Amino acid sequence: MTDPYPFSTTLKVRFNETDAQGHVNFAQYLNLFDVALVEYLNHIGFSYKRILEEDFDMLYVDAHASYHAPAYFDDLLRIHCRAGKVGGSSARFDFEIFNETKENRLTAKGEITVVTAERKTLKKMRVPESFRKALEKHS
């Protein structure tokens, strides 16, 4: 059986990501997803620099998160990322966050949907074939 999330990265919770209740503020999870997505794209050979060099961009059009258990300052989180679905002009990225400090407890799940767009005009375009192949190969 293959790992449904072949890529992950770790991040230690910083104090400014916590709220008055002492745990990671709900809005911070979207930032954690974004950090993992950038690392995932680098991992598959599509740094943001390369994306721009290939004359396209990704526009975030939708994001969701569900929360399963709190995380606290200095907890070590493992953030998993994969391309969940690649459409004609969009891609959905899926995420799961586990708290390694708390026995790998599931902390949050979510997704971000992007639309590919022409770099200069931001007009929606088909997912470039090179990008599509990289996403499919590493998901």
Side-chain angles (χ1 to χ4, degrees), residues 2 4 6 9 14 19 29-30 38-39 41-42 56 67 71 73 77 81 94-95 99 101 105 109 123 131:
T2 59
T9 188
R14 297 166 292 197
D19 58 22
Y29 287 97
L30 295 178
V38 169
E39 293 297 322
L41 293 174
N42 285 330
F56 75 99
Y67 311 99
F73 173 62
L77 304 179
C81 177
D94 299 332
F95 305 89
N99 189 331
T101 305
R105 177 176 61 196
K109 294 171 93 170
K123 181 181 173 188
F131 188 50

Coordinates of all heavy atoms in Angstrom, one line a residue, residues 2 4 6 9 14 19 29-30 38-39 41-42 56 67 71 73 77 81 94-95 99 101 105 109 123 131:
T2 N 0.5 2.2 -0.8 CA 1.3 3.4 -0.9 C 0.8 4.4 0.1 O -0.4 4.4 0.5 CB 1.3 4.1 -2.3 OG1 -0.1 4.3 -2.6 CG2 1.9 3.1 -3.3
P4 N -0.8 7.6 1.2 CA -1.7 8.6 0.6 C -1.2 10.0 0.6 O -1.6 10.8 -0.2 CB -3.0 8.5 1.3 CG -2.7 8.0 2.7 CD -1.5 7.1 2.4
P6 N 2.5 11.2 0.1 CA 3.9 10.9 0.0 C 4.8 12.1 0.4 O 6.1 11.9 0.4 CB 4.0 10.6 -1.5 CG 2.9 11.3 -2.1 CD 1.8 11.3 -1.1
T9 N 6.2 17.9 5.7 CA 7.2 18.7 6.3 C 6.8 19.0 7.7 O 5.7 18.8 8.1 CB 7.3 20.1 5.5 OG1 8.4 20.8 5.9 CG2 6.0 20.9 5.6
R14 N 4.9 28.4 16.7 CA 5.5 29.6 17.2 C 4.5 30.3 18.1 O 3.3 30.1 18.0 CB 5.9 30.5 16.1 CG 7.0 29.9 15.2 CD 7.2 30.6 13.9 NE 6.0 30.4 13.1 CZ 5.9 30.6 11.8 NH1 7.0 31.0 11.2 NH2 4.8 30.4 11.1
D19 N -3.4 31.6 20.5 CA -4.3 32.7 20.9 C -4.5 32.7 22.5 O -3.7 32.1 23.2 CB -5.7 32.5 20.3 CG -6.3 31.1 20.6 OD1 -5.9 30.5 21.6 OD2 -7.2 30.7 19.8
Y29 N -4.2 27.7 10.7 CA -4.1 26.4 10.0 C -4.0 26.7 8.5 O -3.3 25.9 7.7 CB -5.2 25.5 10.3 CG -5.0 24.9 11.7 CD1 -5.6 25.5 12.8 CD2 -4.1 23.9 11.9 CE1 -5.3 25.0 14.1 CE2 -3.8 23.4 13.2 CZ -4.4 23.9 14.3 OH -4.2 23.4 15.5
L30 N -4.7 27.7 7.9 CA -4.6 28.0 6.5 C -3.1 28.4 6.2 O -2.6 28.1 5.1 CB -5.6 29.1 6.1 CG -7.0 28.7 6.2 CD1 -7.9 29.8 5.8 CD2 -7.4 27.4 5.4
V38 N 3.9 25.3 -0.4 CA 5.1 25.8 -1.0 C 6.3 24.8 -0.9 O 7.0 24.6 -1.9 CB 5.5 27.1 -0.3 CG1 6.9 27.6 -0.7 CG2 4.5 28.2 -0.6
E39 N 6.4 24.1 0.2 CA 7.4 23.1 0.3 C 7.2 21.9 -0.6 O 8.1 21.4 -1.2 CB 7.5 22.6 1.8 CG 8.0 23.6 2.8 CD 9.4 24.1 2.5 OE1 10.3 23.2 2.1 OE2 9.7 25.3 2.6
L41 N 5.5 22.0 -3.5 CA 5.9 22.4 -4.9 C 7.4 22.5 -5.1 O 7.8 22.0 -6.2 CB 5.2 23.8 -5.1 CG 3.7 23.8 -5.2 CD1 3.2 25.3 -5.3 CD2 3.2 23.0 -6.3
N42 N 8.1 22.9 -4.1 CA 9.6 22.9 -4.2 C 10.0 21.4 -4.4 O 10.9 21.1 -5.2 CB 10.3 23.5 -3.0 CG 10.2 25.0 -3.0 OD1 10.2 25.6 -4.1 ND2 10.2 25.6 -1.9
F56 N 3.1 31.3 -15.7 CA 1.7 31.2 -15.1 C 1.8 31.4 -13.6 O 2.9 31.7 -13.1 CB 1.1 29.8 -15.4 CG 1.7 28.6 -14.7 CD1 1.0 28.1 -13.5 CD2 2.9 28.0 -15.1 CE1 1.5 27.0 -12.8 CE2 3.3 26.9 -14.4 CZ 2.7 26.4 -13.3
Y67 N -11.0 21.0 12.2 CA -10.2 20.9 13.4 C -10.5 19.7 14.2 O -11.7 19.5 14.5 CB -10.3 22.2 14.2 CG -10.2 23.4 13.3 CD1 -11.3 24.1 12.8 CD2 -8.9 23.8 12.8 CE1 -11.2 25.2 11.9 CE2 -8.8 24.9 11.9 CZ -10.0 25.6 11.5 OH -9.9 26.7 10.6
A71 N -3.4 22.2 19.1 CA -1.9 22.2 19.2 C -1.5 23.4 19.9 O -2.2 24.4 19.9 CB -1.3 22.2 17.8
F73 N 1.9 26.0 21.7 CA 3.3 26.6 21.5 C 4.3 25.5 21.7 O 4.3 24.7 22.6 CB 3.5 27.7 22.5 CG 4.9 28.3 22.5 CD1 5.4 28.9 21.4 CD2 5.6 28.2 23.7 CE1 6.7 29.4 21.4 CE2 6.9 28.8 23.7 CZ 7.4 29.3 22.6
L77 N 4.6 19.9 14.6 CA 3.6 19.4 13.7 C 4.1 18.9 12.4 O 5.1 19.4 11.9 CB 2.6 20.6 13.4 CG 2.0 21.3 14.6 CD1 1.1 22.5 14.1 CD2 1.2 20.4 15.4
C81 N 0.9 16.9 2.6 CA 0.3 17.6 1.4 C 0.4 16.7 0.2 O 1.3 16.0 0.0 CB 1.1 18.9 1.2 SG 0.6 19.9 -0.3
D94 N -4.7 18.7 -0.9 CA -5.2 18.2 0.4 C -4.1 18.2 1.5 O -2.9 18.0 1.2 CB -5.7 16.7 0.2 CG -6.8 16.6 -0.9 OD1 -7.5 17.6 -1.0 OD2 -6.9 15.6 -1.5
F95 N -4.6 18.4 2.7 CA -3.6 18.5 3.8 C -4.1 17.7 5.0 O -5.4 17.7 5.3 CB -3.5 20.0 4.2 CG -3.1 20.9 3.1 CD1 -4.0 21.5 2.3 CD2 -1.7 21.1 2.9 CE1 -3.6 22.3 1.3 CE2 -1.3 21.9 1.8 CZ -2.3 22.5 1.0
N99 N 0.1 16.1 15.2 CA 0.9 16.7 16.3 C 1.9 15.6 16.8 O 1.5 14.7 17.5 CB 0.0 17.2 17.4 CG 0.8 18.0 18.4 OD1 2.0 17.7 18.7 ND2 0.1 18.9 19.1
T101 N 4.3 15.9 18.9 CA 4.5 16.1 20.3 C 3.4 15.3 21.1 O 3.7 14.9 22.2 CB 4.5 17.6 20.7 OG1 5.5 18.2 19.9 CG2 4.8 17.8 22.1
R105 N -1.2 12.8 17.1 CA -2.6 13.0 17.1 C -3.0 13.9 15.9 O -2.4 14.9 15.6 CB -3.0 13.7 18.4 CG -4.5 14.1 18.5 CD -4.8 14.7 19.8 NE -4.0 15.9 20.1 CZ -3.9 16.4 21.2 NH1 -4.4 15.9 22.3 NH2 -3.2 17.5 21.4
K109 N -7.4 18.9 9.2 CA -7.4 18.5 7.8 C -7.9 19.7 7.0 O -8.6 20.5 7.5 CB -8.4 17.3 7.6 CG -7.9 16.0 8.3 CD -9.0 15.0 8.2 CE -8.9 14.1 7.1 NZ -9.8 13.0 7.1
K123 N -5.6 36.0 -16.3 CA -6.7 35.3 -16.9 C -6.5 33.8 -16.8 O -5.5 33.2 -17.0 CB -6.7 35.7 -18.4 CG -7.8 35.1 -19.2 CD -7.7 35.5 -20.7 CE -8.8 34.7 -21.5 NZ -8.6 34.9 -22.9
F131 N 3.3 21.0 -15.4 CA 2.9 21.1 -14.0 C 1.9 20.0 -13.7 O 2.1 19.3 -12.7 CB 2.2 22.5 -13.8 CG 1.9 22.8 -12.4 CD1 2.8 22.7 -11.3 CD2 0.6 23.3 -12.0 CE1 2.5 23.0 -10.0 CE2 0.3 23.6 -10.7 CZ 1.2 23.5 -9.7

